């Protein structure tokens, strides 16, 4: 088998459905398997997978085992030569894996490969490529300056060597994953992707970034940005430093103080009330049930006019490919003040997220 795609899910049933539909479209011509590991979701994620994707291998955990252990459980059952560790709140293009296979063949001694991630508004996510968070870079990020934390030697659309990938999308050989013993289970959430990336480099491989292929990562679904976020994130950083660098009491004290100050000052994200002037459905047909739910809807095939800023674009995957949807959001995300939702193929809901902090919105019809 060529590829195993491991998706760790926790209470994001609708995002998981969209993700699986995009992955299925991207693997129709690849000898691949999809493994979903569910960390004791309270929603009907598992029932949905069983009903709609009977060929997907589903592993149901009785408790939430965290990111590292959950993914390790999935990889332990994988059979593919290559792995893709994938978040459930992502959307891949039909040619994503083809591009990764082709790129990997051009590399010498490749470790893990990242791609360009965009959020649900079409904006580039800088954590797609990062540097090893040495002490100086980590402390600067703690104080709000992330310049040295991200791999800024490459532009977002460029290709080249990097140090650290983000756990939402990691492509690598299964033999390398097993060689470095996968994700370290001392991390429950956050930091485990930095740790794995660094272990791969220490094992003598080079990690890479392929900025010519885009993947949507809604992010707000899997990265809970509440007031405890800083505490969890920098707590994970402390684990990382203890494992890989010499103990430094002064630094430990500075990090602890930084964690406490950010934790105390940080407020939970505030949900913004969104006003939508009109909805634009890019489709080849009208969906009567959707029109009934959203009466202010305009239907176009692909032509885009100078719509008002308060326009929400609904991208119909029954009409557009996932590659076209991702390209549309990436193209207009930084230039238009539009919001976006996706209508997955053969589904009765639209789904999207306006930013990388707050949770997204699902409208059933």
């Amino acid at each position: 088998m060529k590829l195993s795609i491991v998706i760790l899910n926790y209470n994001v049933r609708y995002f998981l459905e969209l993700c699986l539909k995009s992955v299925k479209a991207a693997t129709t011509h690849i000898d691949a398997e999809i493994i979903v590991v569910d960390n004791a979701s309270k929603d009907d994620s598992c029932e949905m997978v069983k009903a709609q994707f009977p060929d997907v291998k589903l592993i149901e955990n009785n408790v939430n085992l965290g990111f590292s252990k959950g993914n390790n459980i999935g990889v332990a059952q994988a059979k593919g030569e290559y792995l893709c560790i994938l978040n459930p709140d992502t959307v891949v293009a039909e040619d994503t894996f083809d591009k990764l296979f082709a790129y990997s063949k051009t590399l010498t001694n490749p470790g893990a490969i990242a791609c360009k991630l965009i959020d649900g508004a079409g904006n580039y996510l800088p954590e797609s490529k990062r540097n090893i968070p040495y002490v100086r870079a980590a402390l600067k990020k703690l104080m709000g300056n992330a310049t040295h934390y991200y791999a800024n030697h490459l532009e977002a659309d460029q290709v080249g060597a990097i140090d650290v990938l983000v756990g939402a999308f990691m492509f690598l050989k299964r033999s390398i994953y097993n060689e470095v013993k996968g994700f370290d289970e001392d991390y429950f959430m956050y930091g485990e992707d930095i740790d794995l990336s660094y272990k791969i480099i220490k094992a003598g491989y080079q990690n890479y970034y392929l900025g010519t292929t885009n993947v949507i990562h809604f992010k707000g679904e899997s990265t809970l940005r509440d007031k405890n976020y800083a505490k969890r994130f920098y707590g994970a950083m402390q684990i990382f430093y203890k494992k890989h660098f010499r103990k430094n009491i002064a630094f430990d004290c500075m990090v602890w103080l930084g964690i406490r100050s950010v934790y105390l000052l940080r407020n939970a994200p505030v949900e913004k009330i969104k006003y939508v002037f009109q909805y634009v459905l890019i489709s080849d047909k009208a969906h009567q049930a959707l029109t009934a739910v959203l009466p202010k809807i305009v239907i176009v095939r692909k032509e885009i006019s100078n719509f008002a800023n308060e326009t929400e674009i609904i991208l119909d995957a029954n009409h557009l490919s996932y590659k076209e949807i991702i390209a549309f959001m990436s193209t207009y995300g930084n230039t238009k003040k539009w919001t976006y939702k996706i209508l997955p193929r053969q589904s009765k809901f639209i789904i999207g997220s306006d930013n990388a902090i707050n949770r997204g919105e699902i409208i059933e019809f």
Side-chain angles (χ1 to χ4, degrees):
M1 182 170 288
K2 188 71 172 177
L3 175 65
S4 296
I5 299 153
V6 178
I7 304 170
L8 180 67
N9 179 71
Y10 181 65
N11 287 332
V12 287
R13 172 252 189 269
Y14 290 99
F15 284 94
L16 176 63
E17 181 178 335
L18 172 59
C19 175
L20 286 172
K21 287 184 174 179
S22 74
V23 170
K24 294 284 285 185
T27 56
T28 54
H29 57 293
I30 299 173
D31 183 18
E33 65 177 351
I34 305 170
I35 300 171
V36 171
V37 182
D38 186 81
N39 260 346
S41 292
K42 299 291 193 296
D43 61 16
D44 65 338
S45 292
C46 293
E47 288 74 14
M48 180 275 295
V49 173
K50 292 173 186 175
Q52 297 193 36
F53 306 95
D55 56 338
V56 168
K57 183 181 291 186
L58 175 63
I59 301 170
E60 298 181 67
N61 293 329
N62 294 323
V63 295
N64 185 352
L65 298 174
F67 185 90
S68 294
K69 191 166 186 176
N71 274 297
N72 286 344
I73 288 172
V75 174
Q77 296 198 27
K79 300 176 181 176
E81 178 187 359
Y82 286 84
L83 291 173
C84 180
I85 305 297
L86 187 66
N87 266 30
D89 56 344
T90 57
V91 181
V92 301
E94 286 80 357
D95 62 353
T96 292
F97 300 117
D98 294 326
K99 287 186 174 182
L100 286 161
F101 283 126
Y103 180 52
S104 66
K105 291 179 181 178
T106 69
L107 302 173
T108 301
N109 206 31
I113 303 175
C115 61
K116 178 184 173 184
L117 300 179
I118 62 172
D119 66 15
N123 300 310
Y124 166 65
L125 291 170
E127 62 267 26
S128 301
K129 49 182 179 64
R130 292 176 285 176
N131 297 317
I132 297 170
Y134 292 114
V135 172
R136 178 180 295 181
L139 287 176
K140 284 185 176 181
K141 185 177 188 297
L142 189 66
M143 298 302 145
N145 180 357
T147 302
H148 300 289
Y149 182 79
Y150 300 119
N152 293 319
H153 64 285
L154 294 175
E155 296 296 328
D157 296 327
Q158 289 186 318
V159 172
I162 60 168
D163 293 329
V164 175
L165 294 76
V166 65
F169 189 104
M170 304 180 85
F171 179 87
L172 71 163
K173 281 192 171 182
R174 183 163 60 96
S175 59
I176 296 176
Y177 188 96
N178 290 332
E179 179 184 340
V180 300
K181 303 186 186 308
F183 286 113
D184 189 324
E185 294 179 10
D186 284 347
Y187 302 86
F188 183 83
M189 187 175 185
Y190 307 121
E192 61 284 301
D193 48 1
I194 298 174
D195 187 274
L196 180 62
S197 299
Y198 188 56
K199 289 194 298 184
I200 291 170
I201 290 174
K202 286 173 65 176
Y205 301 97
Q206 176 61 61
N207 297 325
Y208 288 92
Y209 171 74
L210 181 63
T212 54
T213 184
N214 297 348
V215 167
I216 299 171
H217 180 207
F218 291 105
K219 190 176 177 180
E221 306 311 303
S222 56
T223 306
L224 188 57
R225 298 274 181 163
D226 59 16
K227 64 180 181 180
N228 292 310
Y229 166 75
K231 184 178 182 180
R232 290 191 297 263
F233 180 82
Y234 290 106
M237 288 298 93
Q238 283 184 306
I239 296 173
F240 178 74
Y241 296 130
K242 288 177 181 178
K243 284 180 175 291
H244 297 291
F245 300 107
R246 289 187 305 171
K247 186 172 180 60
N248 185 315
I249 295 176
F251 172 71
D252 284 348
C253 291
M254 291 177 69
V255 171
W256 185 86
L257 288 171
I259 291 172
R260 292 301 300 168
S261 63
V262 176
Y263 170 65
L264 292 172
L265 293 173
R266 192 183 187 95
N267 294 316
V270 177
E271 293 285 347
K272 294 181 179 179
I273 298 174
K274 180 175 67 177
Y275 171 75
V276 177
F277 173 73
Q278 68 177 346
Y279 294 89
V280 174
L281 173 65
I282 301 182
S283 180
D284 60 346
K285 64 179 180 179
H287 296 263
Q288 297 302 325
L290 178 59
T291 303
V293 174
L294 303 175
K296 296 186 295 183
I297 199 165
V298 176
I299 301 172
V300 299
R301 285 186 58 85
K302 287 189 180 180
E303 305 80 5
I304 294 298
S305 304
N306 292 320
F307 295 120
N309 286 342
E310 297 82 11
T311 295
E312 181 149 281
I313 308 294
I314 302 170
L315 300 151
D316 184 359
N318 300 285
H319 170 59
L320 302 168
S321 69
Y322 289 107
K323 182 177 180 178
E324 289 175 314
I325 289 171
I326 295 168
F328 185 98
M329 291 172 59
S330 180
T331 299
Y332 292 105
N334 293 314
T335 59
K336 301 286 187 179
K337 292 183 179 178
W338 296 336
T339 55
Y340 304 95
K341 282 192 174 59
I342 297 173
L343 170 57
R345 291 176 187 170
Q346 299 180 330
S347 294
K348 295 296 183 182
F349 64 90
I350 58 174
I351 190 167
S353 176
D354 298 342
N355 57 61
I357 297 176
N358 294 318
R359 289 194 179 278
E361 182 185 15
I362 300 146
I363 299 176
E364 296 183 79
F365 61 90

